[in-house]
Amino acid sequence: MIPIARSSALRAVRSQLSQRRSLSPTSAAALARLLSTLAVLEQRDGKLASSSLAAIVAAQKLGGPVTAFVAGKGVKSTSAAEAAKIQGLEKVVAVENEAYEKGLPENFAPLLVENIKQGEYTHIIAGHSAFGKSLLPRVAALLDVQQVSDITAIESEDTFVRPIYAGNAVLTVQSSDPIKVITVRGTAFQGVETEGGSATVVDGTDPNTPCPTEWVSEELAKSERPDLGTASRVVSGGRGLKSKEEFDRLILPLADTLGAAIGASRAAVDSGFADNSLQVGQTGKNVAPQLYLAAGISGAIQHLAGMKDSKVIAAINKDPDAPIFQIADVGLVGDLFEKVPELTEKLKKQ
Ligand SMILES: Cc1cc2nc3c(=O)[nH]c(=O)nc-3n(C[C@H](O)[C@H](O)[C@H](O)COP(=O)(O)OP(=O)(O)OC[C@H]3O[C@@H](n4cnc5c(N)ncnc54)[C@H](O)[C@@H]3O)c2cc1C
């Protein structure tokens, strides 16, 4: 539970902030300073995860000072130093302890709550990654507030927009909790400046909560290709490719020619054409590249949920009535076994 004094102070801040729309720009700017946001950063082997940088962009949209939080083995000289260079951060709170290296929510949540109490933050933001999704619900429960998940826009300091029903409806939610605990969709908050900042790195509080869970091992898909989640171009294949052999024969050269990451529909993944980590959609990854090229993908709503924010959508499908053409900027009706190699050859010649 939040201490009473803290709650009432926050209520006062909130009531002032609720009047913000009717205030002059100067007063609104003054009230924005009452906000204080903690962006929770994920790191792996001392490097910041790009998905968590969206938390900083969202925090900056809120206004008010932004502090970043990072924890793990030797983070002060690695990921905390990296975060300190990000523009718009006031401070980076770092906790050096190997026990937090793998981001296990069982001990990371009490660590975060301890530091939230110390910093008296009004907003806690993390990326909607596996890390954020497993950590923040526990943090919200420990703070006795409700989490607002997977937001795509910020309307004000207490009102947020989030897609529901695989992106078929958009919900605007207003939170009356004294501390807002939020995860953000990475594709909706982009453009962080990773150089030029000069935040100070300070030591956080370490409650050293014992962890009942032991991290045993992990198997990560390794690839020389651009990362699907952050690539500026994605070439995706669907069930229309017919087999893994054809998927590899047609999709890989096209992706290589474009310098693109590879994606796949769930039907392609379930049929064994592509690795599970490459699935785009409601139950896969959310991507918003400059170019998304879909070959042999029908455009089911669950697939669209993961890629419809792409800047340019191109589709190759033999069925002119395929739903993918309803959202495609560029469409090519034809047999992909003919059109994909032809396109690859033409692009190579350019
Ligand atoms: C709860 C739930 C979650 C889901 N999550 C996801 C998700 O995250 N991602 C996802 O993708 N799906 C997801 N799905 C599955 C989704 O509903 C579709 O079944 C799936 O996206 C279909 O994949 P597809 O377009 O590759 O296959 P199909 O729907 O079978 O489409 C194949 C397309 O290829 C075209 N084609 C065939 N041969 C050729 C050719 N020679 N040349 C050109 N075109 C050709 C066909 O015209 C057709 O349009 C989910 C479903 C459920 C119920």
Side-chain angles (χ1 to χ4, degrees):
M1 289 292 287
I2 298 144
I4 301 292
R6 172 78 184 127
S7 285
S8 53
L10 283 163
R11 265 197 298 276
V13 168
R14 199 171 64 241
S15 96
Q16 282 174 296
L17 288 168
S18 67
Q19 299 161 16
R20 215 170 140 192
R21 283 202 186 96
S22 58
L23 291 168
S24 68
T26 323
S27 315
L31 282 176
R33 285 197 290 274
L34 296 171
L35 293 175
S36 175
T37 303
L38 185 68
V40 185
L41 303 184
E42 178 183 357
Q43 62 91 30
R44 180 176 283 275
D45 300 328
K47 222 179 150 353
L48 291 176
S50 56
S51 58
S52 67
L53 300 184
I56 296 175
V57 179
Q60 287 167 351
K61 287 209 164 133
L62 273 167
V66 181
T67 301
F69 181 86
V70 67
K73 184 181 169 190
V75 287
K76 281 208 269 184
S77 57
T78 56
S79 43
E82 189 187 341
K85 290 191 211 144
I86 296 173
Q87 279 184 33
L89 284 182
E90 198 161 84
K91 208 163 55 171
V92 179
V93 176
V95 175
E96 287 200 337
N97 186 338
E98 196 170 352
Y100 306 119
E101 179 63 18
K102 297 297 174 188
L104 292 174
E106 287 84 352
N107 62 352
F108 212 110
L111 164 75
L112 198 52
V113 168
E114 199 56 40
N115 285 276
I116 291 166
K117 285 179 180 164
Q118 297 285 327
E120 302 207 332
Y121 302 102
T122 56
H123 293 71
I124 314 303
I125 306 187
H128 194 68
S129 61
F131 170 75
K133 283 192 271 187
S134 56
L135 174 65
L136 258 58
R138 287 167 190 259
V139 170
L142 289 167
L143 292 171
D144 199 20
V145 298
Q146 298 216 28
Q147 180 178 321
V148 184
S149 299
D150 197 19
I151 66 162
T152 52
I154 294 170
E155 293 215 332
S156 71
E157 66 286 336
D158 63 1
T159 307
F160 312 99
V161 177
R162 58 182 298 258
I164 55 169
Y165 299 123
N168 279 319
V170 175
L171 193 70
T172 301
V173 287
Q174 187 172 30
S175 164
S176 56
D177 278 323
I179 300 178
K180 322 281 187 245
V181 174
I182 303 162
T183 60
V184 298
R185 185 171 289 201
T187 53
F189 297 95
Q190 291 185 338
V192 73
E193 295 289 342
T194 52
E195 290 295 332
S198 54
T200 47
V201 178
V202 298
D203 283 313
T205 309
D206 188 352
N208 275 305
T209 311
C211 187
T213 304
E214 189 189 346
W215 184 88
V216 180
S217 67
E218 67 188 350
E219 270 180 45
L220 295 174
K222 287 212 171 81
S223 169
E224 298 299 311
R225 295 174 195 284
D227 172 53
L228 177 59
T230 53
S232 62
R233 293 169 181 176
V234 173
V235 174
S236 269
R239 183 151 40 199
L241 269 304
K242 308 271 189 274
S243 68
K244 176 167 171 46
E245 289 68 36
E246 292 300 322
F247 189 101
D248 289 351
R249 186 176 73 82
L250 298 181
I251 298 296
L252 271 54
L254 179 56
D256 287 343
T257 310
L258 284 167
I262 291 175
S265 70
R266 177 156 150 186
V269 169
D270 288 351
S271 307
F273 304 176
D275 189 77
N276 189 39
S277 62
L278 302 182
Q279 184 177 316
V280 173
Q282 185 189 339
T283 42
K285 293 208 166 95
N286 278 306
V287 299
Q290 292 296 325
L291 171 69
Y292 187 87
L293 197 160
I297 293 180
S298 58
I301 51 164
Q302 296 90 353
H303 187 79
L304 303 187
M307 45 64 76
K308 65 179 166 36
D309 293 330
S310 305
K311 309 298 172 287
V312 175
I313 297 171
I316 303 176
N317 199 303
K318 68 176 181 185
D319 175 6
D321 296 323
I324 191 83
F325 288 129
Q326 286 167 20
I327 62 150
D329 300 286
V330 187
L332 180 55
V333 179
D335 185 347
L336 66 86
F337 292 101
E338 191 189 301
K339 299 297 178 197
V340 171
E342 197 181 316
L343 179 62
T344 308
E345 280 316 307
K346 282 192 175 153
L347 285 166
K348 273 187 189 158
K349 284 189 190 135
Q350 274 186 4

